[in-house]
Amino acid sequence: MILDRFRVEDRVAVVTGAGRGIGAATAIALAEAGADLVISARTEEQLRKVADEIEARGRRALVVPADLSDLDAAAALADTAAEAFGRIDVVVNNVGGAMPRAFMDTKPRHLGNVFQFNVGIAHALTRAAVPHLLETRGAVVNISSVMGRITGRGYLAYGTAKAALAHYTRLAAMDLAPKVRVNAIAVGSVATSALDIVMASDDLRTRMEQSTPLGRIGAPEEIAATVLYLASPAGAFVTGAVLQVDGGTDRPALDLGLPDL
């Protein structure tokens, strides 16, 4: 049956930034589809709650609290997963983000830090996981952003880093083919903690909804469903793709009100 192709039964997935939002929804979705999970983020309490959801679905969860901006800690996740579960089939690089800054406030060190946070961590973990992924003919899914494709004031560092992550995906897919598939999702406005201010304001939420052709803000589970497609046999003939899951967005959702030069 076609639905069986979306199963990841008895596979092992590593998900970063898994304490809440897209990462948590992704970990739970993969568990529902049959995977065991290694989940990592800074806050252990959040991870424990996600682990409870995974275990309630009959799957195993290994909680690894860590500051993954330490690239050695990010790389170590691969060996931790392999030692605990004996294999790695899926890596979901979900850690990322950056606060908006005006152009002149974006110092070179800010740009470098944002690049490392959004691209460096993904590379450190993926590189460490590749020997295991080669054995299982596994898959990597990177969480990029619509801001890697469109323009908007204040997003210089973040948009540049997410554009880099998207092209990193294409290049890594070529390097690792045919045994390891590498894909990305360019995420639009999704109701996570990053949008708490927006979701709490009727005016801001309405403006964001109106700027999205589908007329609404996305849900973390909608991104998780796309991750499952890319990570599962359903996506077995897809690599080097950056799927746009953004409600049709082609312009910034909000004017951040940054000062003119």
Side-chain angles (χ1 to χ4, degrees), residues 22-251:
I22 291 170
T26 293
I28 293 167
L30 290 168
E32 288 182 358
D36 295 319
L37 275 299
V38 175
I39 54 175
S40 187
R42 287 190 177 96
T43 306
E44 183 171 0
E45 182 180 359
Q46 293 176 342
L47 290 172
R48 293 291 176 195
K49 291 179 180 178
V50 176
D52 288 345
E53 294 284 349
I54 292 167
E55 291 166 356
R57 288 156 175 80
R59 303 310 308 184
R60 296 176 292 172
L62 177 62
V63 168
V64 184
D67 179 358
L68 298 180
S69 60
D70 177 346
L71 299 187
D72 290 337
L77 274 179
D79 284 342
T80 298
E83 289 170 6
F85 294 137
R87 60 187 292 154
I88 301 175
D89 300 89
V90 178
V91 171
V92 182
N93 289 306
N94 176 59
V95 167
M99 293 297 293
R101 286 179 183 269
F103 183 93
M104 293 304 293
D105 291 336
T106 304
K107 298 178 181 178
R109 65 178 174 83
H110 293 140
L111 189 61
N113 290 342
V114 172
F115 186 90
Q116 175 162 312
F117 194 55
N118 288 271
V119 184
I121 294 172
H123 178 60
L125 174 54
T126 301
R127 180 174 178 272
V130 160
H132 307 287
L133 293 168
L134 288 170
E135 292 181 6
T136 59
R137 302 186 76 88
V140 177
V141 183
N142 297 319
I143 304 301
S144 186
S145 169
V146 65
M147 290 311 304
R149 179 175 58 85
I150 67 175
T151 58
R153 295 184 66 191
Y155 294 102
L156 178 75
Y158 179 70
T160 298
K162 287 304 190 183
L165 183 61
H167 199 50
Y168 171 92
T169 297
R170 301 180 189 101
L171 294 169
M174 181 63 70
D175 283 343
L176 300 177
K179 291 187 176 180
V180 178
R181 297 184 299 106
V182 186
N183 293 290
I185 303 171
V187 175
S189 300
V190 174
T192 68
S193 59
L195 288 187
D196 280 349
I197 295 176
V198 173
M199 300 302 290
S201 166
D202 289 341
D203 176 58
L204 291 177
R205 186 176 65 254
T206 298
R207 286 162 58 194
M208 183 168 281
E209 290 168 345
Q210 290 175 343
S211 74
T212 304
L214 287 184
R216 63 180 179 85
I217 294 170
E221 291 75 15
E222 291 172 307
I223 308 304
T226 310
V227 173
L228 178 58
Y229 163 65
L230 292 173
S232 71
F237 201 51
V238 182
T239 196
V242 181
L243 300 188
Q244 294 173 205
V245 186
D246 56 16
T249 302
D250 61 1
R251 57 194 172 93

